[in-house]
Amino acid sequence: GNTKPLRWLFGRRTWHYPATPVLSKLYFGIGAEDLTEENLYYAIELNKTYDMVIHNYPACNGVCETHSWHMHGMNFWLLGAGRGEWSGSAAQLAMLNTVDPPRRDTVQTISEGVDNKPFDTTKPQTFAPCGWTVIRFVPKSPGTWMFHCHQLWHIIMGSNAVFYTAAHTIPPPPSNLMLCGEMTVEKVAQKLFPSIKGCNIGNANAASTGSSPFVAAVLIFFAHVARAT
């Protein structure tokens, strides 16, 4: 039998969870250079309209499996779906409902053909698309929004992507922010308390109360880390 780990592909790439949360990468500028389409991170702009074609391809065994694609942070409009390969032809465009499409946060892709095999028999089964789905969405809220197959084991196997807005749109984190991944007290403090130079706790120019925002932040961070462990 096949003992190799199986992975799902999104845009011919597979998803790997980052050690540092994407929101923290953006807000604190920690490893933000990794947020590329090659790594399945897609930059989006607020209030801009996006149309996306979801192609469902067979698994390695040639079967067109069903995937329920779910979007976080916003709903989308289901414009249409059809068999085979999306080419953007006039006939396919005429099939799209742009007048009163249903609004969803999850859509199930097409699994088609006899024994769930692709209808197109002129191509090798693993290269013939099972079907297409077109959705439209307009981001209204800043943040990082996952788009993934809602069969949870498929997420673990790499069937996931992230849409994100620009770093300057990300609001400040809550006061009980926890550290993880590449986040350190120094890196976080440099963003939250830029007036404190060098991150030297001993020379933080404490106020008359004998405390400083940097020291308070350190205590908050370590208190929450300790509580979590």
Side-chain angles (χ1 to χ4, degrees), residues 38 45 56 64 74 85 88 90 114 138 144 147 156 166 171 203 206 220:
E38 186 65 29
E45 298 178 24
N56 186 22
C64 295
M74 69 196 94
E85 185 174 10
V114 178
V138 180
T144 60
F147 183 64
I156 297 171
N203 297 319
I220 290 173

Side-chain angles (χ1 to χ4, degrees), residues 63-151:
V63 172
C64 295
E65 297 195 18
T66 299
H67 302 277
S68 299
W69 284 96
H70 174 68
M71 182 173 287
H72 289 218
M74 69 196 94
N75 292 328
F76 54 80
W77 292 273
L78 173 58
L79 302 187
R83 295 174 174 176
E85 185 174 10
W86 172 265
S87 63
S89 66
Q92 289 177 331
L93 291 172
M95 295 172 61
L96 302 183
N97 177 7
T98 59
V99 178
D100 56 354
R103 194 175 183 186
R104 299 283 187 267
D105 65 6
T106 306
V107 62
Q108 185 165 293
T109 57
I110 292 178
S111 298
E112 59 172 308
V114 178
D115 296 326
N116 287 331
K117 300 293 179 66
F119 275 107
D120 188 353
T121 59
T122 62
K123 298 180 180 179
Q125 286 185 349
T126 53
F127 294 99
C130 307
W132 52 266
T133 304
V134 179
I135 66 173
R136 172 174 293 174
F137 63 95
V138 180
K140 296 292 185 180
S141 300
T144 60
W145 307 116
M146 294 180 72
F147 183 64
H148 61 87
C149 178
H150 218 289
Q151 292 160 261

Side-chain angles (χ1 to χ4, degrees), residues 189 193 195-197 199-220:
F193 312 107
S195 61
I196 300 177
K197 305 298 183 182
C199 295
N200 188 331
I201 298 177
N203 297 319
N205 296 324
S208 59
T209 58
S211 63
S212 73
F214 179 74
V215 174
V218 172
L219 293 176
I220 290 173

Side-chain angles (χ1 to χ4, degrees), residues 1-7:
N2 184 4
T3 59
K4 295 181 180 180
L6 298 177
R7 303 290 299 179

Side-chain angles (χ1 to χ4, degrees), residues 173-191:
S175 59
N176 63 346
L177 175 71
M178 296 179 65
L179 303 181
C180 60
E182 298 177 78
M183 298 170 65
T184 64
V185 171
E186 181 178 5
K187 290 179 180 179
V188 171
Q190 286 174 350
K191 173 69 175 182

